[in-house]
Amino acid sequence: MDSKKKQPAKKMGKKQFKNYTLLNGVPITDMPKEQLENHFLQLQQVVEHEREERNYYQLERDKIQLFWEVTKQQMEEKDALLQLKDSEVDEAALNHLAEIKLFKQKMKHIMFECQQYIDERMKEKTSEKLILEEEHLVEVNHLEDEANKLKDQFFQLQIDNGNAIINQRLKHAEDLCSLHQQYQKETDILKSKEVAEIGAIRHRLERDREKAIQEIQKKKDMHIEHLIQMHEEMFQQMKNYYNDIIKNDILLIKSLKDKIKDLLRKECHYIETIKNLEAKNDVLSSAFNDFLQIKSRHLKKVDSKDVFYFQKKQEEKSQKILHDNLSGKSLTKPQNWKILENDLLYFQQTVDGVPNISSHFVNDHWKRRNSW
């Protein structure tokens, strides 16, 4: 800051003054006093803030300057120490090289002494080796002589053993011949005995076999005769059984034929009766129609309600009776005739001037029914 030269203050011209003539879009001349004071206070606050920041940055710059000087001094001290250490390292390296040279010289002396000792020991060992080789050769020769002697003894033993084996084989062959002759004699004796025994056994077995065959033949003949008798009896029974069955079938067929004839006869009779009944039904239907005509003539004299009720009821019953008569149910249901009779009586009581006709019709109806 001190090293910097102070710059002269710039003079404000008309242009710069013109820039400050407006404040927040309002000319300074037109602003009131209070607003100017407020603006002045704001500017003072800004100046104070800038001054505080300047002092803060000044302190920071001084601290940095102080730190830089301290570190510079420390760096110089460390450089001096480093130079001392480098000089010490160089001295140590020189001392180390001198020690290495001295150690190498000592090693040369030691290696020379060791080589001399090795040469001496090699000479001693070679002499000892020669002595041992001579002794070994002597022992080998001695052992070879002993081995040759043992081979001669072994060969002699083989010869003796071969002779003994031959003698034993000859003796064994003689013994085998004598034993073979003895066993041959014994086998001949046993064969002769065996042949005699086999002949006796064969003769005895032959007799037993013939006896057994005769017994079996007798049993077989008896069994055959028994089977023939049984078969004849069973055949006779079967023949009788089937004869009975045939007779029964013939009788059954005859009875069935008779039944069929009876049924045909009854069928013809039923057909004739049906024809007669149909003719009688025709007569009854005509009589019933006449009755309906008579009833229609005299309906005017009866009360309208009774006529309607009776007419409806009478039509239903008459249709039912007529249907039953036509279908043949009147033969099996005689109650229909009673219903018809009751209806006629009711009609006779309700209609004036009709009782003679209705009674005549009922009497005629019952006569016809009895004739059926």
Side-chain angles (χ1 to χ4, degrees):
M1 292 292 292
D2 295 336
S3 62
K4 292 181 180 180
K5 294 181 179 180
K6 293 182 180 180
Q7 295 179 0
K10 293 181 180 180
K11 294 181 179 181
M12 296 176 65
K14 291 181 179 181
K15 292 181 180 180
Q16 292 177 354
F17 182 75
K18 287 180 180 179
N19 291 330
Y20 291 102
T21 55
L22 295 175
L23 186 64
N24 294 326
V26 180
I28 295 172
T29 57
D30 296 335
M31 290 177 67
K33 183 178 179 181
E34 294 177 355
Q35 191 173 1
L36 288 172
E37 288 177 355
N38 291 327
H39 182 64
F40 180 72
L41 292 172
Q42 289 177 1
L43 291 174
Q44 282 183 351
Q45 290 176 0
V46 170
V47 169
E48 288 292 332
H49 181 68
E50 292 293 334
R51 189 178 289 112
E52 289 177 357
E53 286 184 353
R54 177 180 173 281
N55 293 329
Y56 175 73
Y57 288 123
Q58 186 69 30
L59 291 171
E60 291 293 327
R61 187 180 66 79
D62 293 338
K63 287 180 182 179
I64 291 166
Q65 186 69 27
L66 181 62
F67 289 152
W68 183 77
E69 290 176 356
V70 170
T71 51
K72 185 178 180 181
Q73 187 177 0
Q74 289 177 356
M75 188 175 177
E76 289 176 355
E77 291 176 356
K78 295 295 180 182
D79 289 334
L81 289 172
L82 186 61
Q83 288 177 1
L84 289 172
K85 294 292 181 181
D86 289 335
S87 62
E88 290 177 357
V89 168
D90 292 334
E91 289 177 0
L94 293 172
N95 293 326
H96 183 65
L97 290 172
E99 289 177 356
I100 288 169
K101 287 180 181 180
L102 181 62
F103 181 74
K104 285 181 179 180
Q105 289 177 0
K106 288 180 180 180
M107 285 295 294
K108 286 179 181 180
H109 291 295
I110 291 166
M111 290 294 289
F112 180 73
E113 291 176 356
C114 183
Q115 189 66 35
Q116 286 181 352
Y117 179 74
I118 289 167
D119 293 335
E120 290 176 358
R121 297 298 296 172
M122 285 293 290
K123 289 177 182 179
E124 291 177 358
K125 293 296 179 183
T126 50
S127 61
E128 290 177 358
K129 183 181 178 182
L130 292 172
I131 294 165
L132 290 171
E133 285 178 354
E134 290 176 356
E135 292 177 355
H136 181 67
L137 288 172
V138 173
E139 289 179 357
V140 167
N141 293 324
H142 181 67
L143 290 171
E144 286 179 355
D145 294 334
E146 289 181 354
N148 291 324
K149 289 178 181 179
L150 291 171
K151 284 180 181 179
D152 294 335
Q153 291 177 1
F154 180 72
F155 183 71
Q156 188 65 35
L157 288 171
Q158 282 183 348
I159 293 167
D160 295 336
N161 191 15
N163 294 325
I165 289 167
I166 291 166
N167 294 324
Q168 289 290 332
R169 284 179 179 176
L170 292 171
K171 187 177 179 181
H172 183 66
E174 291 175 357
D175 294 335
L176 283 174
C177 289
S178 62
L179 288 170
H180 183 68
Q181 291 175 0
Q182 184 180 356
Y183 290 148
Q184 189 68 32
K185 290 177 182 179
E186 291 178 357
T187 52
D188 292 336
I189 294 166
L190 291 171
K191 281 181 180 180
S192 61
K193 290 180 180 180
E194 186 179 356
V195 168
E197 289 178 357
I198 288 168
I201 291 166
R202 185 177 293 170
H203 184 67
R204 183 167 53 81
L205 291 172
E206 188 69 24
R207 285 183 297 172
D208 294 337
R209 186 174 66 80
E210 289 176 356
K211 288 180 182 179
I213 288 167
Q214 290 175 0
E215 290 177 357
I216 291 166
Q217 189 69 30
K218 288 179 182 179
K219 289 180 180 179
K220 185 175 72 173
D221 295 335
M222 292 172 67
H223 185 65
I224 289 166
E225 290 176 358
H226 181 66
L227 288 173
I228 290 167
Q229 291 177 1
M230 286 178 67
H231 288 170
E232 288 177 354
E233 291 176 358
M234 291 176 72
F235 180 74
Q236 189 65 32
Q237 290 176 2
M238 186 172 65
K239 188 176 180 181
N240 295 328
Y241 175 72
Y242 282 109
N243 288 327
D244 294 335
I245 290 170
I246 291 165
K247 288 178 182 179
N248 292 326
D249 290 338
I250 291 167
L251 293 172
L252 181 63
I253 290 164
K254 287 180 180 180
S255 63
L256 290 172
K257 285 181 178 180
D258 295 334
K259 287 181 181 180
I260 289 166
K261 288 179 181 179
D262 293 335
L263 290 171
L264 291 171
R265 197 180 301 111
K266 288 179 181 180
E267 186 178 0
C268 294
H269 179 68
Y270 289 152
I271 290 167
E272 290 176 358
T273 53
I274 287 165
K275 288 179 180 179
N276 294 325
L277 290 172
E278 286 178 353
K280 290 178 181 180
N281 281 327
D282 293 334
V283 173
L284 285 172
S285 62
S286 62
F288 186 71
N289 290 325
D290 294 336
F291 173 73
L292 290 174
Q293 289 176 2
I294 293 166
K295 184 184 71 172
S296 63
R297 292 173 188 172
H298 298 281
L299 282 175
K300 294 179 181 180
K301 296 179 181 181
V302 184
D303 192 11
S304 62
K305 292 182 180 180
D306 294 334
V307 169
F308 178 75
Y309 174 74
F310 180 75
Q311 187 177 4
K312 186 176 180 182
K313 187 175 180 182
Q314 192 66 27
E315 285 177 358
E316 291 176 356
K317 291 181 179 180
S318 62
Q319 288 177 2
K320 186 176 181 182
I321 291 165
L322 184 61
H323 182 269
D324 292 337
N325 289 326
L326 292 173
S327 62
K329 292 182 180 180
S330 60
L331 296 172
T332 58
K333 293 183 180 180
Q335 62 269 21
N336 293 329
W337 297 102
K338 292 181 180 180
I339 293 166
L340 182 61
E341 184 180 356
N342 293 326
D343 292 336
L344 290 171
L345 291 172
Y346 178 76
F347 183 74
Q348 184 179 1
Q349 292 175 2
T350 55
V351 180
D352 293 330
V354 184
N356 294 324
I357 297 168
S358 61
S359 62
H360 176 72
F361 179 77
V362 170
N363 292 325
D364 189 13
H365 169 69
W366 280 108
K367 286 178 182 179
R368 289 177 182 176
R369 185 182 176 193
N370 292 324
S371 66
W372 294 350

